Every structure is written in structure tokens, then in C-alpha cells.
Amino acid sequence: MKDRSDLIEKIAEIRKLTGTIYKKVEIESVDISFSSIIVLLKIFKEKKDVTMSTISELTGFSNALITFSIDELENKGIVERIRGLDRRNVFVRITPRGIDFANELSEKIQETFSKIFGNMSEEDYRDLLNSLEKSISIIKKYL
């Protein structure tokens, strides 16, 4: 098997940069982890109650990380767990407070991205977007 450590390092670097960008999002009302932000935004985008396994599929996070994130969000009143008719099925629902927070968070993320990338040239923007789309496509091909 070929050594692909350079690829692993670059993917890890992109993940770290993504985390750094999200840490720059100024959220006054609630302090939550990066993984919980991602989980919340995925649930918010679905616009319906979702199962824990669906959240795992949407984020690519482990069940343990999903559980940690949902615990954190639930403790802050942002989401709630709902048991299905079959008690093995647990759904997650965003609370009214969570909807307000997700809307605020989405706006703050847009503002942050505008501050960071607002002065990027159109050429750099297109190059970055195309290379990210190409990278995603290649990675998905081998998953």
C-alpha cells in the first residue's frame, strides 16, 4: 500500500483551518463546540425532526461525537430529544430558542466569511471553489 501521509496531513490542515474560521464567528449568546455548531446547522437545514443516525450520516461524525454534541445542545435548550413509538428511535428537534440561535449563527457565519474572504479576487474565489469541489468529488469517489 502506498504511503498517503501527505494527503492525510493536507486533509487535517483543511479541517483545522475550517475550525479556525468557525472560531472567529462571534456568538455572544451561547458558547458551544465546533462539532455542535456543525450538528446544529445540519439539523436546522433539514427543517424537520431527525434521528441520531441521520445526523451522523449528514455530518460524517461518529455516534459518540453526535451524542456529545446533542447532549451539549440539549443542555443549553437548543434541541430536545424525542422518543419515537419504537423507543429505540430517538429524534432530535430544534427548540424555538434553537431556531433563533441557528438563524443568528447562520448570519454570523455569513458575516465572518465575508470579512475573511470579502476581498478575495474573483479569480481566487473561482479557483478555490473549483479546487474544493474537485477535492470533494475525488474523495467521494473512493469512499
Side-chain angles (χ1 to χ4, degrees), residues 40-50 58 92-94 99 102-103 106:
L40 174 61
L41 292 175
K42 291 293 186 180
I43 297 169
F44 182 65
K45 188 175 179 182
E46 288 297 300
K47 306 262 190 247
K48 62 182 179 183
D49 299 349
V50 292
L58 291 170
V92 179
R93 173 181 296 158
I94 297 182
I99 291 170
N103 279 318
S106 295

PDB file of all heavy atoms in Angstrom, residues 40-50 58 92-94 99 102-103 106:
ATOM      1  N   LEU A  40     -25.834  21.344  14.767  1.00  0.00           N
ATOM      2  CA  LEU A  40     -26.998  22.228  14.805  1.00  0.00           C
ATOM      3  C   LEU A  40     -27.370  22.724  13.411  1.00  0.00           C
ATOM      4  O   LEU A  40     -28.540  22.696  13.019  1.00  0.00           O
ATOM      5  CB  LEU A  40     -26.737  23.416  15.736  1.00  0.00           C
ATOM      6  CG  LEU A  40     -27.831  24.496  15.742  1.00  0.00           C
ATOM      7  CD1 LEU A  40     -29.164  23.928  16.217  1.00  0.00           C
ATOM      8  CD2 LEU A  40     -27.400  25.679  16.593  1.00  0.00           C
ATOM      9  N   LEU A  41     -26.387  23.163  12.651  1.00  0.00           N
ATOM     10  CA  LEU A  41     -26.676  23.696  11.318  1.00  0.00           C
ATOM     11  C   LEU A  41     -27.225  22.620  10.381  1.00  0.00           C
ATOM     12  O   LEU A  41     -28.086  22.898   9.549  1.00  0.00           O
ATOM     13  CB  LEU A  41     -25.436  24.364  10.734  1.00  0.00           C
ATOM     14  CG  LEU A  41     -25.003  25.647  11.460  1.00  0.00           C
ATOM     15  CD1 LEU A  41     -23.698  26.168  10.888  1.00  0.00           C
ATOM     16  CD2 LEU A  41     -26.084  26.710  11.413  1.00  0.00           C
ATOM     17  N   LYS A  42     -26.749  21.390  10.522  1.00  0.00           N
ATOM     18  CA  LYS A  42     -27.270  20.288   9.691  1.00  0.00           C
ATOM     19  C   LYS A  42     -28.729  19.995  10.049  1.00  0.00           C
ATOM     20  O   LYS A  42     -29.566  19.802   9.176  1.00  0.00           O
ATOM     21  CB  LYS A  42     -26.419  19.025   9.843  1.00  0.00           C
ATOM     22  CG  LYS A  42     -25.035  19.130   9.250  1.00  0.00           C
ATOM     23  CD  LYS A  42     -25.080  19.251   7.754  1.00  0.00           C
ATOM     24  CE  LYS A  42     -23.671  19.215   7.175  1.00  0.00           C
ATOM     25  NZ  LYS A  42     -23.647  19.325   5.728  1.00  0.00           N
ATOM     26  N   ILE A  43     -29.032  19.957  11.351  1.00  0.00           N
ATOM     27  CA  ILE A  43     -30.417  19.717  11.781  1.00  0.00           C
ATOM     28  C   ILE A  43     -31.303  20.862  11.302  1.00  0.00           C
ATOM     29  O   ILE A  43     -32.396  20.648  10.784  1.00  0.00           O
ATOM     30  CB  ILE A  43     -30.503  19.584  13.323  1.00  0.00           C
ATOM     31  CG1 ILE A  43     -29.704  18.389  13.817  1.00  0.00           C
ATOM     32  CG2 ILE A  43     -31.966  19.470  13.759  1.00  0.00           C
ATOM     33  CD1 ILE A  43     -29.518  18.357  15.324  1.00  0.00           C
ATOM     34  N   PHE A  44     -30.833  22.079  11.474  1.00  0.00           N
ATOM     35  CA  PHE A  44     -31.577  23.280  11.079  1.00  0.00           C
ATOM     36  C   PHE A  44     -31.905  23.257   9.589  1.00  0.00           C
ATOM     37  O   PHE A  44     -33.018  23.574   9.177  1.00  0.00           O
ATOM     38  CB  PHE A  44     -30.757  24.520  11.439  1.00  0.00           C
ATOM     39  CG  PHE A  44     -31.418  25.833  11.133  1.00  0.00           C
ATOM     40  CD1 PHE A  44     -32.579  26.218  11.790  1.00  0.00           C
ATOM     41  CD2 PHE A  44     -30.863  26.696  10.198  1.00  0.00           C
ATOM     42  CE1 PHE A  44     -33.181  27.440  11.512  1.00  0.00           C
ATOM     43  CE2 PHE A  44     -31.453  27.920   9.925  1.00  0.00           C
ATOM     44  CZ  PHE A  44     -32.618  28.294  10.576  1.00  0.00           C
ATOM     45  N   LYS A  45     -30.942  22.848   8.791  1.00  0.00           N
ATOM     46  CA  LYS A  45     -31.129  22.791   7.334  1.00  0.00           C
ATOM     47  C   LYS A  45     -32.180  21.752   6.941  1.00  0.00           C
ATOM     48  O   LYS A  45     -32.885  21.929   5.947  1.00  0.00           O
ATOM     49  CB  LYS A  45     -29.790  22.468   6.663  1.00  0.00           C
ATOM     50  CG  LYS A  45     -29.815  22.571   5.163  1.00  0.00           C
ATOM     51  CD  LYS A  45     -28.423  22.346   4.584  1.00  0.00           C
ATOM     52  CE  LYS A  45     -28.454  22.430   3.080  1.00  0.00           C
ATOM     53  NZ  LYS A  45     -27.151  22.170   2.488  1.00  0.00           N
ATOM     54  N   GLU A  46     -32.316  20.694   7.716  1.00  0.00           N
ATOM     55  CA  GLU A  46     -33.286  19.631   7.409  1.00  0.00           C
ATOM     56  C   GLU A  46     -34.728  20.097   7.598  1.00  0.00           C
ATOM     57  O   GLU A  46     -35.639  19.548   6.996  1.00  0.00           O
ATOM     58  CB  GLU A  46     -33.023  18.389   8.277  1.00  0.00           C
ATOM     59  CG  GLU A  46     -31.779  17.634   7.885  1.00  0.00           C
ATOM     60  CD  GLU A  46     -31.856  17.076   6.479  1.00  0.00           C
ATOM     61  OE1 GLU A  46     -32.748  16.276   6.180  1.00  0.00           O
ATOM     62  OE2 GLU A  46     -30.984  17.454   5.667  1.00  0.00           O
ATOM     63  N   LYS A  47     -34.953  21.064   8.467  1.00  0.00           N
ATOM     64  CA  LYS A  47     -36.293  21.618   8.718  1.00  0.00           C
ATOM     65  C   LYS A  47     -37.299  20.592   9.238  1.00  0.00           C
ATOM     66  O   LYS A  47     -38.500  20.704   9.002  1.00  0.00           O
ATOM     67  CB  LYS A  47     -36.861  22.279   7.460  1.00  0.00           C
ATOM     68  CG  LYS A  47     -35.983  23.329   6.845  1.00  0.00           C
ATOM     69  CD  LYS A  47     -36.401  24.704   7.261  1.00  0.00           C
ATOM     70  CE  LYS A  47     -35.682  25.767   6.477  1.00  0.00           C
ATOM     71  NZ  LYS A  47     -34.792  26.559   7.244  1.00  0.00           N
ATOM     72  N   LYS A  48     -36.806  19.547   9.906  1.00  0.00           N
ATOM     73  CA  LYS A  48     -37.687  18.532  10.489  1.00  0.00           C
ATOM     74  C   LYS A  48     -36.918  17.796  11.575  1.00  0.00           C
ATOM     75  O   LYS A  48     -35.708  17.944  11.706  1.00  0.00           O
ATOM     76  CB  LYS A  48     -38.163  17.552   9.419  1.00  0.00           C
ATOM     77  CG  LYS A  48     -37.032  16.763   8.768  1.00  0.00           C
ATOM     78  CD  LYS A  48     -37.527  15.835   7.687  1.00  0.00           C
ATOM     79  CE  LYS A  48     -36.339  15.108   7.067  1.00  0.00           C
ATOM     80  NZ  LYS A  48     -36.712  14.250   5.977  1.00  0.00           N
ATOM     81  N   ASP A  49     -37.656  17.009  12.362  1.00  0.00           N
ATOM     82  CA  ASP A  49     -37.006  16.166  13.368  1.00  0.00           C
ATOM     83  C   ASP A  49     -36.148  15.132  12.642  1.00  0.00           C
ATOM     84  O   ASP A  49     -36.552  14.604  11.601  1.00  0.00           O
ATOM     85  CB  ASP A  49     -38.044  15.443  14.219  1.00  0.00           C
ATOM     86  CG  ASP A  49     -38.962  16.398  14.979  1.00  0.00           C
ATOM     87  OD1 ASP A  49     -38.675  17.611  15.007  1.00  0.00           O
ATOM     88  OD2 ASP A  49     -39.960  15.926  15.543  1.00  0.00           O
ATOM     89  N   VAL A  50     -34.979  14.859  13.185  1.00  0.00           N
ATOM     90  CA  VAL A  50     -34.071  13.888  12.563  1.00  0.00           C
ATOM     91  C   VAL A  50     -33.584  12.899  13.609  1.00  0.00           C
ATOM     92  O   VAL A  50     -33.496  13.215  14.789  1.00  0.00           O
ATOM     93  CB  VAL A  50     -32.867  14.571  11.877  1.00  0.00           C
ATOM     94  CG1 VAL A  50     -33.297  15.370  10.672  1.00  0.00           C
ATOM     95  CG2 VAL A  50     -32.109  15.457  12.841  1.00  0.00           C
ATOM     96  N   LEU A  58     -25.369  12.853   7.945  1.00  0.00           N
ATOM     97  CA  LEU A  58     -25.257  14.212   7.406  1.00  0.00           C
ATOM     98  C   LEU A  58     -23.907  14.853   7.710  1.00  0.00           C
ATOM     99  O   LEU A  58     -23.374  15.609   6.906  1.00  0.00           O
ATOM    100  CB  LEU A  58     -26.365  15.107   7.979  1.00  0.00           C
ATOM    101  CG  LEU A  58     -27.796  14.811   7.536  1.00  0.00           C
ATOM    102  CD1 LEU A  58     -28.793  15.609   8.376  1.00  0.00           C
ATOM    103  CD2 LEU A  58     -27.970  15.128   6.063  1.00  0.00           C
ATOM    104  N   VAL A  92     -34.291  14.139  17.111  1.00  0.00           N
ATOM    105  CA  VAL A  92     -33.810  15.402  17.660  1.00  0.00           C
ATOM    106  C   VAL A  92     -34.598  16.511  16.994  1.00  0.00           C
ATOM    107  O   VAL A  92     -34.758  16.536  15.768  1.00  0.00           O
ATOM    108  CB  VAL A  92     -32.296  15.588  17.409  1.00  0.00           C
ATOM    109  CG1 VAL A  92     -31.826  16.921  17.959  1.00  0.00           C
ATOM    110  CG2 VAL A  92     -31.510  14.429  18.019  1.00  0.00           C
ATOM    111  N   ARG A  93     -35.104  17.413  17.829  1.00  0.00           N
ATOM    112  CA  ARG A  93     -35.906  18.541  17.351  1.00  0.00           C
ATOM    113  C   ARG A  93     -35.269  19.832  17.851  1.00  0.00           C
ATOM    114  O   ARG A  93     -34.857  19.928  19.006  1.00  0.00           O
ATOM    115  CB  ARG A  93     -37.328  18.419  17.895  1.00  0.00           C
ATOM    116  CG  ARG A  93     -38.211  19.619  17.607  1.00  0.00           C
ATOM    117  CD  ARG A  93     -39.596  19.438  18.190  1.00  0.00           C
ATOM    118  NE  ARG A  93     -40.225  18.303  17.522  1.00  0.00           N
ATOM    119  CZ  ARG A  93     -41.237  17.614  18.043  1.00  0.00           C
ATOM    120  NH1 ARG A  93     -41.726  17.914  19.224  1.00  0.00           N
ATOM    121  NH2 ARG A  93     -41.766  16.609  17.369  1.00  0.00           N
ATOM    122  N   ILE A  94     -35.218  20.821  16.988  1.00  0.00           N
ATOM    123  CA  ILE A  94     -34.723  22.136  17.397  1.00  0.00           C
ATOM    124  C   ILE A  94     -35.846  22.853  18.145  1.00  0.00           C
ATOM    125  O   ILE A  94     -36.986  22.886  17.686  1.00  0.00           O
ATOM    126  CB  ILE A  94     -34.272  22.973  16.181  1.00  0.00           C
ATOM    127  CG1 ILE A  94     -33.107  22.301  15.464  1.00  0.00           C
ATOM    128  CG2 ILE A  94     -33.871  24.373  16.619  1.00  0.00           C
ATOM    129  CD1 ILE A  94     -32.564  23.081  14.295  1.00  0.00           C
ATOM    130  N   ILE A  99     -34.000  27.531  17.105  1.00  0.00           N
ATOM    131  CA  ILE A  99     -34.246  28.116  15.775  1.00  0.00           C
ATOM    132  C   ILE A  99     -33.716  29.542  15.736  1.00  0.00           C
ATOM    133  O   ILE A  99     -33.026  29.937  14.780  1.00  0.00           O
ATOM    134  CB  ILE A  99     -35.750  28.065  15.427  1.00  0.00           C
ATOM    135  CG1 ILE A  99     -36.166  26.606  15.192  1.00  0.00           C
ATOM    136  CG2 ILE A  99     -36.060  28.924  14.202  1.00  0.00           C
ATOM    137  CD1 ILE A  99     -37.662  26.390  15.082  1.00  0.00           C
ATOM    138  N   ALA A 102     -29.930  29.299  15.692  1.00  0.00           N
ATOM    139  CA  ALA A 102     -29.420  28.835  14.390  1.00  0.00           C
ATOM    140  C   ALA A 102     -29.494  29.950  13.353  1.00  0.00           C
ATOM    141  O   ALA A 102     -28.581  30.105  12.535  1.00  0.00           O
ATOM    142  CB  ALA A 102     -30.186  27.605  13.922  1.00  0.00           C
ATOM    143  N   ASN A 103     -30.569  30.732  13.374  1.00  0.00           N
ATOM    144  CA  ASN A 103     -30.674  31.882  12.461  1.00  0.00           C
ATOM    145  C   ASN A 103     -29.575  32.899  12.746  1.00  0.00           C
ATOM    146  O   ASN A 103     -28.912  33.384  11.825  1.00  0.00           O
ATOM    147  CB  ASN A 103     -32.047  32.543  12.580  1.00  0.00           C
ATOM    148  CG  ASN A 103     -33.112  31.818  11.793  1.00  0.00           C
ATOM    149  OD1 ASN A 103     -32.889  31.386  10.663  1.00  0.00           O
ATOM    150  ND2 ASN A 103     -34.280  31.664  12.383  1.00  0.00           N
ATOM    151  N   SER A 106     -26.217  31.435  11.620  1.00  0.00           N
ATOM    152  CA  SER A 106     -26.080  31.482  10.156  1.00  0.00           C
ATOM    153  C   SER A 106     -25.675  32.878   9.688  1.00  0.00           C
ATOM    154  O   SER A 106     -24.805  33.027   8.823  1.00  0.00           O
ATOM    155  CB  SER A 106     -27.387  31.065   9.487  1.00  0.00           C
ATOM    156  OG  SER A 106     -27.677  29.726   9.767  1.00  0.00           O
TER     157      SER A 106
END
